[in-house]
Amino acid sequence: MPEWSKPDAEPRERRAFWWTQAAIGGLVLIMFVLLWAATLTQIAHDRANTEAAARQQAADLARAFEARLVDRIERIDHALKHLRQEMMEEPGPVRGRLAGLRYHVDDPALINLMILDAEGRLVDSTAVHQQGTDYSDREYFRVHRDRPADGADALFISKPLLGRVSQLWVLLFTRRIEGPDGRFAGVLGIGIDPFKYADLAADLPVGREGAVSIVGMDRVFRMLHSGPAEGAALRALIGKEVPGERAYFDLARPATDVLRVPAALDSRGLILAYRRLAKFPLVANVSFTEAEVFAAAEERALFLRRSALAASAGILLCAFGLFLLRNGQHRTRIALIRANGLLRGNERVLEERVRDRTRALELSNQQVRELAYSDGVTGLPNRALLADRAEQAVQAARRYGRKLAFLFLDLDHFKTVNDTLGHQAGDQLLAAVALRLRAAVRMSDSVARMGGDEFVVMVEELEDSRDAAHTADRIMAALRTPFSLEGRELHVGVSIGIAMFPDDGADMPALLKNADTAMYAAKTAGRNALRFFSPAMTEAAERRLELESALRRAVAQADFTLVYQPKIYAATGQLCGVEALLRWHHPERGWVPPSEFIPLAEEIGLIEPLGAWVINEACRFIAGWDGQSLGALRVAVNVAAGQINRGDLGAVVERALKLHGIDPALLEIEVTESAVIADTARATATLNRLRALGVTVALDDFGTGYSSLVYLRRIDIDSIKIDRSFLTDVRPGSRDADLVRQIIRLAQSLRLSVVAEGVETAEHRSFLEEAGCDMLQGYHIARPMPAADLRDWLARRQDGRKAGEPLSRQPSQLARA
């Protein structure tokens, strides 16, 4: 049987192909490693040898230069001693005497001989000089003059100095002159040209960029000879201090060594050999630049790398040819194997297709069943599966005379979580809630998700309604424990409505409808509660549904009005602004209290368009206000949490300001603490954007929350409004009075304005004025009124009415609403 006819022929061929390719690749890799290892090793070895040779050459040159330098200095010192001996035979320094003694100093770099008397004045010099010139401030004079009586008679080598008369750089070698009595009589010095002195190193082979230098232990350059590439740049360092730290100044290090250091003028690397002179406080240095030292080595390294690259390219070409050749063989073999397999596999293909279609059909049926009867987020049964189970449970309960309960669950404030953290986080929360619901009920009970944040629990085989209440209590207890989600701790409440079979319905639709009605009653009662269905709830639910429909129509048609309640300065009684208050007139019910329709608007998602209408109307009112005759007027608008945490409040305000062309400072946004707590980061960003537009911000209902002080520190506001509840029982010595005073003091310390709302009596006003409150608002000042009444009210006040007198003893119907 041929190789390509065997059942495992193709896998075997593929394994053989990949083994061959891997072998070729491995061989190429090994050759690469060996080639480049040899190349890099040779480069490193060549560089090391070059550096070693340069170090040795620098050390040899430094040694030779040290010998020359010591010999030159000793000859100069010998001449100084000889001259001093002859000078000391004279009764005192004699002018012109040095000219006859100059022949004793045989140095091509000699500039002059000089003598200073005991006062530091120039007595004689072989150079052009001015007799009597004072050099007592020079270091070389002070060193000899101040030498202790028991001090050594030593040669002093000065720093390079600029001659006061000659204006030439000079390096002075000096010795002390003493009189017959041993007392200090002056200084004898030989001046050497430091530039000509550099001829000491003129024949040393330091290359184009190398240098030879003499540095004192005081870090000052005495002499410097450099190659032609460095020139004047390095010679300009004579007389200057060596920049940076140098190892040769450290007496703890060897007196001679070779180091790699940065250059004095730039960051180039140097190979530097130094030798500290034993007899004199000098250091002889010889240095080469690394660039010049390694130039030839770098050229050789470049040649080696290019050669290695060329060899690598050749290896790759050969390997590629082998790959192509083996690949062609492989394709031919695979084609033969597949052709043979195709002939033998027709029967298997048909059988496999039948099996695959059967498996796919079974999988599809399973997925259809799952999609049709389970919830994709929580894995719980959905409405369809619940309906099937409920029909069977109702029939069984009717047959055996048992009771059955439907618990309709709605999570409290789930929309806030969804809007704040996103839908993905909301889905995670729903899944976690589903797990707790399953754990809180019996295995025989059914838990289903109806959609959104609504769940239904069907409890069978009950004795009475108390069993259903016990199940609801277990569910509420299970959900009372906080949920941990994305590093946050979330508290989720649940409102539960319960409908019993057969008392509240004969089938599932009726029971679910009535349980839903009971659930809304639980929400109306304050959330996180449970309610059993009663027939009276149906009427309330219908009224709520009717009100919801009317509210939607009113929002769509902008069927609202604004009234304005004045605020005055407590100190002067002058008008300082108004608060815009929303009113709705129902075509049948009449005026609907804001406390009834505003929470409903928030619940059904209408608060954002409604709030945008209020802001736009307030800006329209500001634009139409006669500021020249009536004075500028700031209008405050109260916004809900949904506008801050879900809508784009900043964009709404900005559009209204631009549309009506008003000064942003005339608009004030009042935000409640609960709106900030819901999502602090987003609320802070929104308020910062409003402040950037120029709009003022007030914190409303201050003091009613548990964290007002925290948010006073976190958010940027202009004023706070003391909640009306604090003024209800204000009287001298009461706790509420003390709290109000403390709030006013706190605001004043934070440079915030304070507005007291709910001022309804003269006693309230008197107390607040005495406590230092800035602004007052309430029925004692004026009731809310339409815009036209506000103008009349203000006009009458300007005509002389007393501050604080109500606008009218008989307010309009709209004001009463």
Side-chain angles (χ1 to χ4, degrees), residues 300-630:
R300 292 191 296 272
L302 179 61
F303 172 77
L304 288 174
R305 284 193 289 267
R306 287 176 175 173
S307 300
L309 283 173
S312 299
I315 293 172
L316 283 176
L317 287 174
C318 292
F320 185 68
L322 290 174
F323 273 123
L324 291 179
L325 179 61
R326 182 65 182 91
N327 191 53
Q329 295 176 347
H330 173 68
R331 289 176 179 274
T332 301
R333 289 175 175 270
I334 289 296
L336 290 173
I337 292 170
R338 288 180 176 177
N340 184 71
L342 185 62
L343 294 175
R344 294 186 298 105
N346 287 334
E347 294 179 5
R348 291 196 305 271
V349 169
L350 292 175
E351 294 175 357
E352 288 175 0
R353 285 182 179 177
V354 172
R355 285 196 299 269
D356 289 344
R357 288 181 180 179
T358 302
R359 284 195 299 266
L361 184 58
E362 293 174 352
L363 180 61
S364 177
N365 290 336
Q366 181 181 352
Q367 292 175 345
V368 167
R369 284 193 299 271
E370 291 178 356
L371 291 174
Y373 296 111
S374 67
D375 175 57
V377 174
T378 62
L380 295 176
N382 60 9
R383 181 185 293 268
L385 183 54
L386 177 65
D388 183 64
R389 292 182 179 178
E391 183 180 355
Q392 298 177 32
V394 168
Q395 290 176 0
R398 184 180 292 114
R399 182 180 305 116
Y400 298 108
R402 296 171 181 169
K403 289 187 177 294
L404 180 70
F406 279 81
L407 280 62
F408 201 107
L409 284 63
D410 186 90
L411 302 182
D412 295 333
H413 303 298
F414 175 76
K415 182 173 177 57
T416 301
V417 175
N418 226 18
D419 294 340
T420 303
L421 303 181
H423 291 288
Q424 183 176 359
D427 289 347
Q428 294 175 7
L429 178 60
L430 291 174
V433 168
L435 290 176
R436 294 195 186 181
L437 291 178
R438 282 173 167 166
V441 300
R442 302 172 302 179
M443 292 292 294
S444 59
D445 298 334
S446 296
V447 181
R449 182 188 175 209
M450 306 302 288
D453 60 343
E454 296 178 339
F455 297 85
V456 169
V457 177
M458 184 177 65
V459 186
E460 302 182 57
E461 299 181 2
L462 300 178
E463 293 295 332
D464 53 35
S465 60
R466 287 178 298 180
D467 294 338
H470 291 329
T471 302
D473 289 339
R474 289 199 303 272
I475 291 173
M476 296 178 73
L479 298 185
R480 194 171 296 125
T481 304
F483 291 84
S484 179
L485 191 65
E486 298 182 355
R488 299 171 183 254
E489 191 175 85
L490 300 179
H491 294 266
V492 176
V494 61
S495 298
I496 304 177
I498 305 176
M500 300 294 297
F501 172 85
D503 302 332
D504 301 327
D507 54 21
M508 175 186 163
L511 290 167
L512 281 183
K513 177 177 178 295
N514 293 336
D516 186 24
T517 300
M519 182 272 295
Y520 274 107
K523 280 192 174 293
T524 304
R527 301 176 186 272
N528 199 32
L530 68 90
R531 290 290 184 273
F532 280 90
F533 173 77
S534 67
M537 291 180 179
T538 303
E539 183 179 350
E542 290 175 354
R543 286 199 306 270
R544 182 186 183 279
L545 183 60
E546 179 187 348
L547 184 63
E548 178 181 330
S549 300
L551 182 59
R552 291 185 185 277
R553 288 194 299 272
V555 170
Q557 299 169 7
D559 191 14
F560 297 92
T561 57
L562 293 183
V563 293
Y564 302 92
Q565 185 172 31
K567 295 185 289 186
I568 65 169
Y569 288 114
T572 65
Q574 296 296 317
L575 182 69
C576 59
V578 297
E579 180 177 1
L581 301 172
L582 184 63
R583 297 292 185 262
W584 176 34
H585 188 272
H586 190 277
E588 297 176 0
R589 292 181 53 183
W591 295 105
V592 181
S595 59
E596 183 175 350
F597 74 82
I598 289 180
L600 179 59
E602 289 191 77
E603 184 178 339
I604 63 177
L606 294 179
I607 195 64
E608 294 169 43
L610 183 57
W613 181 88
V614 173
I615 291 171
N616 188 67
E617 287 302 305
C619 291
R620 187 195 310 277
F621 170 75
I622 295 172
W625 181 257
D626 186 2
Q628 292 185 348
S629 61
L630 298 176

Side-chain angles (χ1 to χ4, degrees), residues 712-789:
L712 276 183
R713 177 171 58 86
R714 291 186 182 178
I715 62 177
D716 189 10
I717 60 175
D718 300 282
S719 62
I720 62 175
K721 297 190 71 174
I722 301 176
D723 187 68
R724 65 180 66 247
S725 61
F726 285 98
L727 298 180
T728 303
D729 296 323
V730 163
R731 59 184 181 278
S734 67
R735 179 175 294 181
D736 283 349
D738 292 337
L739 283 175
V740 171
R741 287 193 180 94
Q742 292 301 326
I743 291 173
I744 293 173
R745 291 194 191 102
L746 173 64
Q748 291 172 345
S749 69
L750 296 175
R751 298 179 181 178
L752 299 176
S753 301
V754 182
V755 182
E757 58 182 352
V759 181
E760 298 183 355
T761 66
E763 289 76 11
H764 288 168
R765 178 172 182 172
S766 176
F767 164 75
L768 291 168
E769 290 175 351
E770 180 270 332
C773 185
D774 298 305
M775 290 167 276
L776 309 176
Q777 178 184 349
Y779 281 6
H780 181 69
I781 309 303
R783 289 177 175 272
M785 62 191 75
D789 291 352

Side-chain angles (χ1 to χ4, degrees), residues 45-365:
H45 181 69
D46 191 13
R47 189 178 180 87
N49 288 342
T50 301
E51 181 178 351
R55 283 175 171 269
Q56 185 62 48
Q57 183 181 7
D60 294 342
L61 292 177
R63 187 182 304 108
F65 179 61
E66 179 194 26
R68 293 183 184 183
L69 178 60
V70 171
D71 177 69
R72 188 78 166 265
I73 294 175
E74 287 180 342
R75 283 193 285 116
I76 291 174
D77 190 34
H78 178 74
L80 274 173
K81 290 178 180 178
H82 183 75
L83 291 174
R84 184 177 64 175
Q85 184 63 34
E86 291 197 10
M87 294 294 300
M88 293 178 67
E89 293 174 358
E90 300 291 337
V94 180
R95 185 180 180 186
R97 171 70 170 153
L98 291 179
L101 298 176
R102 181 169 181 170
Y103 66 89
H104 288 291
V105 183
D106 182 20
D107 195 305
L110 177 67
I111 293 180
N112 71 323
L113 307 179
M114 61 175 286
I115 299 177
L116 303 180
D117 63 14
E119 301 300 327
R121 291 186 296 271
L122 181 65
V123 175
D124 193 10
S125 175
T126 59
V128 176
H129 65 281
Q130 183 176 354
Q131 189 174 6
T133 302
D134 187 3
Y135 290 97
S136 62
D137 61 328
R138 296 293 200 185
E139 183 185 15
Y140 57 81
F141 174 78
R142 297 198 310 273
V143 168
H144 292 301
R145 181 192 64 189
D146 300 337
R147 191 197 77 186
D150 57 348
D153 180 24
L155 173 70
F156 181 78
I157 304 172
S158 74
K159 302 173 184 177
L161 303 170
L162 189 64
R164 291 179 175 170
V165 177
S166 64
Q167 294 299 306
L168 298 175
W169 283 98
V170 62
L171 187 65
L172 282 171
F173 295 78
T174 61
R175 276 194 175 271
R176 175 185 171 108
I177 301 176
E178 296 179 348
D181 57 356
R183 299 179 64 182
F184 175 67
V187 175
L188 174 64
I190 295 178
I192 299 297
D193 185 346
F195 298 105
K196 290 185 179 179
Y197 204 63
D199 292 344
L200 273 172
D203 61 338
L204 295 181
V206 294
R208 288 178 50 79
E209 300 177 356
V212 181
S213 63
I214 301 172
V215 182
M217 292 302 290
D218 56 6
R219 303 177 63 89
V220 176
F221 281 105
R222 265 47 173 197
M223 182 277 285
L224 199 148
H225 167 75
S226 60
E230 298 302 309
L234 286 177
R235 289 194 291 275
L237 293 174
I238 290 178
K240 305 285 192 309
E241 284 194 7
V242 178
E245 295 296 329
R246 288 292 188 267
Y248 45 73
F249 293 127
D250 185 0
L251 297 179
R253 295 183 65 89
T256 176
D257 201 355
V258 181
L259 307 170
R260 295 181 74 167
V261 298
L265 285 178
D266 48 41
S267 59
R268 291 181 303 169
L270 299 178
I271 295 177
L272 181 142
Y274 73 85
R275 299 183 72 86
R276 285 198 296 269
L277 276 60
K279 296 181 178 180
F280 307 106
L282 299 174
V283 180
N285 294 324
V286 174
S287 63
F288 304 126
T289 65
E290 293 183 0
E292 186 175 15
V293 167
F294 295 115
E298 288 297 332
E299 289 183 2
R300 292 191 296 272
L302 179 61
F303 172 77
L304 288 174
R305 284 193 289 267
R306 287 176 175 173
S307 300
L309 283 173
S312 299
I315 293 172
L316 283 176
L317 287 174
C318 292
F320 185 68
L322 290 174
F323 273 123
L324 291 179
L325 179 61
R326 182 65 182 91
N327 191 53
Q329 295 176 347
H330 173 68
R331 289 176 179 274
T332 301
R333 289 175 175 270
I334 289 296
L336 290 173
I337 292 170
R338 288 180 176 177
N340 184 71
L342 185 62
L343 294 175
R344 294 186 298 105
N346 287 334
E347 294 179 5
R348 291 196 305 271
V349 169
L350 292 175
E351 294 175 357
E352 288 175 0
R353 285 182 179 177
V354 172
R355 285 196 299 269
D356 289 344
R357 288 181 180 179
T358 302
R359 284 195 299 266
L361 184 58
E362 293 174 352
L363 180 61
S364 177
N365 290 336

